[in-house]
Amino acid sequence: MIVIYPGSFDPVTYGHIDIIDRCSKKFSKVVVSVLNNRSKKNMFSIDERVKLLKEVLKEYDNVEIDTFSGLLVDYAKEKKCNKVIRGLRAVSDFEYEMQMALVNKKLDDEFETFFMVARGRYAYLSSSIVKEIATFGGNISCFVPKVVENAINEKIGGGY
Ligand code: COA
């Protein structure tokens, strides 16, 4: 079974990697799909986000990195895969995720959303939190792999 794991990944954190790692063991293939969302102010360009994902996930043979724009249901149809994974970190995620799952189901009745509960130790993590800690000089090494940490610090140093 192939699943899509969509998100902004600006940038990828250990929380995302944990979900991808666990999915890679339960599904035959995981397509990690980076949303090209111009409305969100991203630290990293779409190419940079893809590059970081490829680097940190290079050891996974059954994980593919892709990009998409527009509606997730249309992208899923294009990929001939109507199953999507979303991580749930806390109850606060649930309302938004439920709304998205219901809207997507309304748009395409064949579309299915699977929720994977984030590990407790990552339940508080988000890409914005990591960027904020780094901006104020905090240590982010326990939240992101080294290559991502360096990329964030380079952006901050460059006056992001
Ligand atoms: N570990 C760590 N962080 C996690 C996480 C996890 N397991 N799961 C989510 N997050 C964080 C992300 O880092 C991100 O943090 P940020 O806001 O600080 O950047 C935040 O949670 C949001 O997660 P993300 O997965 O990037 O969601 P999103 O809301 O940006 O995008 C899409 C979700 C891509 C699935 C959705 O926007 C989409 O489908 N868009 C296409 C348009 C569409 O079809 N719309 C109709 C559907 S309603």
Side-chain angles (χ1 to χ4, degrees):
M1 195 196 277
I2 302 174
V3 282
I4 294 172
Y5 180 45
S8 304
F9 303 105
D10 184 49
V12 59
T13 68
Y14 281 135
H16 299 122
I17 294 169
D18 175 53
I19 299 281
I20 296 164
D21 176 68
R22 288 158 59 201
C23 284
S24 75
K25 291 170 183 146
K26 300 288 174 209
F27 300 99
S28 52
K29 187 174 166 186
V30 186
V31 183
V32 178
S33 302
V34 188
L35 175 65
N36 199 351
N37 46 352
R38 288 183 198 94
S39 56
K40 216 169 169 180
K41 186 176 171 359
N42 294 305
M43 176 180 262
F44 294 95
S45 70
I46 187 90
D47 290 344
E48 289 169 330
R49 284 179 273 156
V50 166
K51 199 173 161 206
L52 289 173
L53 278 161
K54 283 192 173 160
E55 179 60 29
V56 301
L57 298 168
K58 64 184 175 205
E59 260 131 60
Y60 293 86
D61 293 336
N62 63 341
V63 174
E64 177 190 319
I65 317 297
D66 196 18
T67 63
F68 79 106
S69 49
L71 288 178
L72 181 59
V73 288
D74 291 340
Y75 167 72
K77 266 186 212 152
E78 199 185 290
K79 287 300 268 186
K80 295 189 174 33
C81 169
N82 50 20
K83 297 166 200 73
V84 160
I85 284 279
R86 295 289 293 161
L88 280 184
R89 290 164 298 171
V91 182
S92 50
D93 277 346
F94 184 75
E95 210 173 320
Y96 171 63
E97 292 298 336
M98 186 73 181
Q99 184 187 23
M100 273 208 302
L102 290 172
V103 168
N104 285 330
K105 191 76 180 158
K106 180 80 185 161
L107 292 172
D108 177 5
D109 196 50
E110 295 296 308
F111 188 96
E112 298 296 351
T113 305
F114 295 86
F115 293 119
M116 186 172 269
V117 176
R119 275 184 210 279
R121 63 176 179 270
Y122 299 126
Y124 55 84
L125 202 52
S126 79
S127 302
S128 304
I129 292 268
V130 175
K131 287 180 282 190
E132 184 164 330
I133 296 168
T135 304
F136 293 110
N139 181 359
I140 54 168
S141 60
C142 55
F143 306 133
V144 291
K146 190 75 192 159
V147 62
V148 177
E149 184 185 349
N150 290 343
I152 293 175
N153 287 331
E154 230 172 79
K155 287 278 177 188
I156 291 166
Y160 164 73

